[in-house]
Amino acid sequence: DEEDKIGIHSSSGAELAFGLDSTEYNSGWVMHRDGYAGYLDRLGREVLPLQYKSIKIENGKPRPVRFPRWDIYAGNELLYSQECDSLRRADENFLLGYLNGVGHLIRDDEGSSILHDIKVIQITDGQLIVQNESTKKWSVLSSEGKSVISGYDSIFTVQEGVYVPRNDGKHYLYNKGGELLERKAFEKVSIGLKDQLIVKRNGYWGLVEINGNGITASKFDRIQIGADNYFISYLNRWGIMDRKGEWILRPEFAEVFSFEDFIVGRRGQGYSIFQGSNLVTKTTDRPVGKLGSSILFEDEHSRFRLYGPITPQSGEYFDKIQSTEGHYMLYNEGRVSITDFEGEVIVPSAFAIEEVGGFSEDRFLIKKEGRWGFVDDEGRLVISNRYDSARVFEENRAAILLRNKWGFIDSHENLKVQPYYDEVSNFSGAIATAKRDGSFGLINKNGKEVIGFGWHLIRRLASGNYLVRNGNDAFGLVDDSGTFILRPAYDTLEDTGNEVLVSKNGKWSILEYTGQPRFETSFEKIISLDNLLLIKNWN
């Protein structure tokens, strides 16, 4: 009787199998349910239970085909084994195991949990939001599969452990224990600031605590979330309210918005700028963002200016304004001046800088007269603009380009690495990658080859080690001093930061950084997933 489900009955009407997705007759009944296959003989007797990947009929007899076995490890500890085609992370507590395309929930520490006729919508806070495929109704289940909330048209979470079920367009508020927090239904519910909700009743909006206690009456036209406050429309005028339900700005504006601690209210073409409830300035220029301690304004001619309590450039307009590492770059008619966030001029526009490429290790990378050099944080040209291109300093080395080749200088402009490389990376620790004549190598800060050139690929990994690939497409691993951890011998290689997963000729292994295998056997597939290792065994 279940929707889109099949049952098998004997000629006398006895039910032999139920809730099946499909069947086929071949010297008996091959059954399929929830990704599993099983077998009944022609008399309806169970020969093979519903626990296999498939059933093959050979010479009129059924032969079961098992799912691959995955071993789930945390470190060196085997948590459990699971038979399925594949696995993926559902959330921090659950995995999803796929059986012929059908997903089943698996707890990290328990193994398979089969939920027939259930579609998992969401996993949150150790509980499941599910939909019954037959009735189409939604429920919340505990991790043990027990019903906590049930029988609704839909359910969504507004916070971990707080649910909003909906029936007939009415929204209710429940906690994770299934307790109804507010007996009167809402027309709509959306997430507010921390521990708060925006709710609609009788056509108007209000604020409530996550436990259902009221903050404001439902009497507002619209409510939007700000950084740490609410933008509220009341009688078609906008104001700003704090999380306690107190007005910061009363609803007197055609528009309100904020940039961190600055609040903006617009009346007509005029803008009022507030910090808290204190008016700090008025202007007809539109506020477009915050840079450093100041607000960035744009006028009707697409020119920009800054306003801040101690920024003297507040009345000056520029073609472009940028900020980096506590400084402003002010572009005007092809020239750039540099100030700190207090407005003190470090490099005046008269110095004729054309572009600023960044700031690091007390040096600005600047372009002047079409070439690149460095200015210190007191505005002095410490490295002349003599380079075709350059990058900011890292590890007391800056990459420089001369005659289309890259090298490195130190902060005193001593040439530490001669410029004859086609590409270089920045230094990370003691070494950098470099490319010459189409192949890669590793060099140290003085230009000495740590690993000679001839590699098709060298890439720094998140672990701090380097992946290398030779001309035979074999992968190896090098540490941050240039010493080989694993010589190139593998078809694939993944460095997890704790161990190395490698494959060769279709067989996977887990290796320690010493190169020794963690296990004696090889595997069909190994996946690193957060704190788990998922190991697929050969059938």
Side-chain angles (χ1 to χ4, degrees), residues 42-276:
R42 65 182 63 192
L43 298 177
R45 294 172 298 195
E46 182 178 84
V47 177
L48 296 171
L50 283 157
Q51 64 182 46
Y52 298 101
K53 178 173 177 60
S54 62
I55 306 296
K56 292 187 176 181
I57 307 300
E58 297 177 351
N59 299 320
K61 294 183 178 181
R63 181 176 68 82
V65 178
R66 302 195 71 91
F67 288 97
R69 192 188 91 238
W70 292 79
D71 294 330
I72 291 84
Y73 281 83
N76 290 321
E77 179 186 359
L78 175 63
L79 297 180
Y80 57 88
S81 296
Q82 182 68 43
E83 291 190 359
C84 58
D85 292 317
S86 62
L87 290 162
R88 74 171 178 85
R89 173 67 76 186
D91 80 343
E92 62 181 10
N93 296 311
F94 292 93
L95 298 174
L96 275 175
Y98 285 91
L99 311 172
N100 291 317
V102 179
H104 295 275
L105 283 164
I106 303 169
R107 284 194 66 88
D108 277 359
D109 53 356
E110 292 181 4
S112 183
S113 173
I114 305 304
L115 301 172
H116 297 294
D117 302 323
I118 292 296
K119 177 182 179 182
V120 178
I121 306 299
Q122 184 182 351
I123 306 171
T124 178
D125 197 30
Q127 294 182 309
L128 318 175
I129 299 179
V130 301
Q131 184 184 27
N132 186 292
E133 296 277 33
S134 299
T135 66
K136 304 304 180 185
K137 290 294 185 179
W138 294 48
S139 301
V140 175
L141 306 182
S142 69
S143 57
E144 293 79 23
K146 296 179 180 179
S147 178
V148 178
I149 303 167
S150 62
Y152 286 91
D153 295 336
S154 66
I155 299 175
F156 67 93
T157 59
V158 290
Q159 194 184 61
E160 283 196 353
V162 180
Y163 299 99
V164 179
R166 178 182 64 85
N167 257 352
D168 299 325
K170 297 178 180 179
H171 295 75
Y172 302 86
L173 190 62
Y174 281 85
N175 65 18
K176 66 179 295 183
E179 179 186 0
L180 184 63
L181 298 175
E182 169 58 56
R183 295 197 172 277
K184 287 186 178 181
F186 301 106
E187 295 167 25
K188 288 187 178 179
V189 178
S190 63
I191 298 172
L193 297 172
K194 184 179 179 181
D195 298 327
Q196 295 181 344
L197 302 172
I198 303 171
V199 298
K200 188 177 186 181
R201 271 192 182 137
N202 302 320
Y204 292 96
W205 294 90
L207 300 171
V208 300
E209 298 285 354
I210 204 81
N211 59 13
N213 293 333
I215 300 172
T216 72
S218 295
K219 61 178 182 180
F220 303 112
D221 306 322
R222 293 174 64 190
I223 300 179
Q224 298 175 352
I225 300 177
D228 193 36
N229 45 42
Y230 294 101
F231 305 146
I232 294 184
S233 173
Y234 182 55
L235 301 178
N236 294 319
R237 307 300 288 174
W238 286 90
I240 294 183
M241 182 177 285
D242 66 19
R243 296 178 62 240
K244 296 179 181 179
E246 302 291 335
W247 289 109
I248 299 172
L249 295 182
R250 298 197 66 80
E252 301 171 350
F253 300 93
E255 176 187 13
V256 293
F257 51 95
S258 65
F259 301 113
E260 297 179 20
D261 54 330
F262 288 101
I263 297 173
V264 181
R266 178 181 65 83
R267 293 188 183 96
Q269 300 301 312
Y271 296 91
S272 299
I273 316 300
F274 299 83
Q275 280 187 304

Side-chain angles (χ1 to χ4, degrees), residues 469-483:
R469 188 184 75 204
N470 64 18
N472 296 320
D473 286 334
F475 290 93
L477 192 65
V478 174
D479 69 16
D480 59 2
S481 68
T483 302

Side-chain angles (χ1 to χ4, degrees), residues 8 31 53 101 125 157 171 245 287 341 426 440 460 474:
I8 298 177
M31 308 174 291
K53 178 173 177 60
D125 197 30
T157 59
H171 295 75
F341 278 175
N426 290 333
F440 290 90
R460 182 174 171 83

